[in-house]
Amino acid sequence: MSAVYNKTRVLEAHLSTLKTAEMRKLAMLESDDNNRYAVHFAAAHANLEALELLVAADAHIHITDKYHRTAMHYAAMNDVSKIVETVFIAFRT
């Protein structure tokens, strides 16, 4: 939810408290009832800083929600070029 409310420092602090990369990945796989994950929320709410943090933490950028949408779908819906660019670069890696 920190991606939704533009609380990137909270997200960063949460991820930094987790000891291993595996624990961080599991934390990033928490979802809501529609299977939307942190990368979806960051892209949907145009939170570039949170999105970059998630990508740097190896978030599953290709993961889909209940409606088969990826972070790229949410980025494109908002038409924020920097968000689309960040997701696109993450998709390529």
Side-chain angles (χ1 to χ4, degrees):
M1 296 305 338
S2 55
V4 173
Y5 296 110
N6 203 17
K7 302 291 184 188
T8 308
R9 296 293 167 231
V10 173
L11 176 62
E12 185 175 25
H14 177 65
L15 291 175
S16 70
T17 63
L18 302 171
K19 302 266 185 245
T20 65
E22 187 62 31
M23 290 173 71
R24 284 188 292 278
K25 285 188 181 205
L26 289 174
M28 290 184 284
L29 288 177
E30 294 176 8
S31 67
D32 70 357
D33 293 340
N34 290 318
N35 291 340
R36 290 177 297 200
Y37 300 87
V39 292
H40 295 127
F41 288 115
H45 294 278
N47 189 336
L48 180 61
E49 193 175 357
L51 187 59
E52 288 174 338
L53 180 64
L54 291 164
V55 168
D58 293 326
H60 296 281
I61 198 77
H62 298 91
I63 201 161
T64 58
D65 67 5
K66 177 180 175 180
Y67 305 104
H68 308 288
R69 295 177 183 147
T70 64
M72 181 60 85
H73 289 99
Y74 286 102
M77 282 188 249
N78 286 320
D79 195 28
V80 178
S81 61
K82 191 64 178 166
I83 299 292
V84 172
E85 179 183 334
T86 302
V87 174
F88 180 72
I89 290 169
F91 260 83
R92 293 179 47 202
T93 59

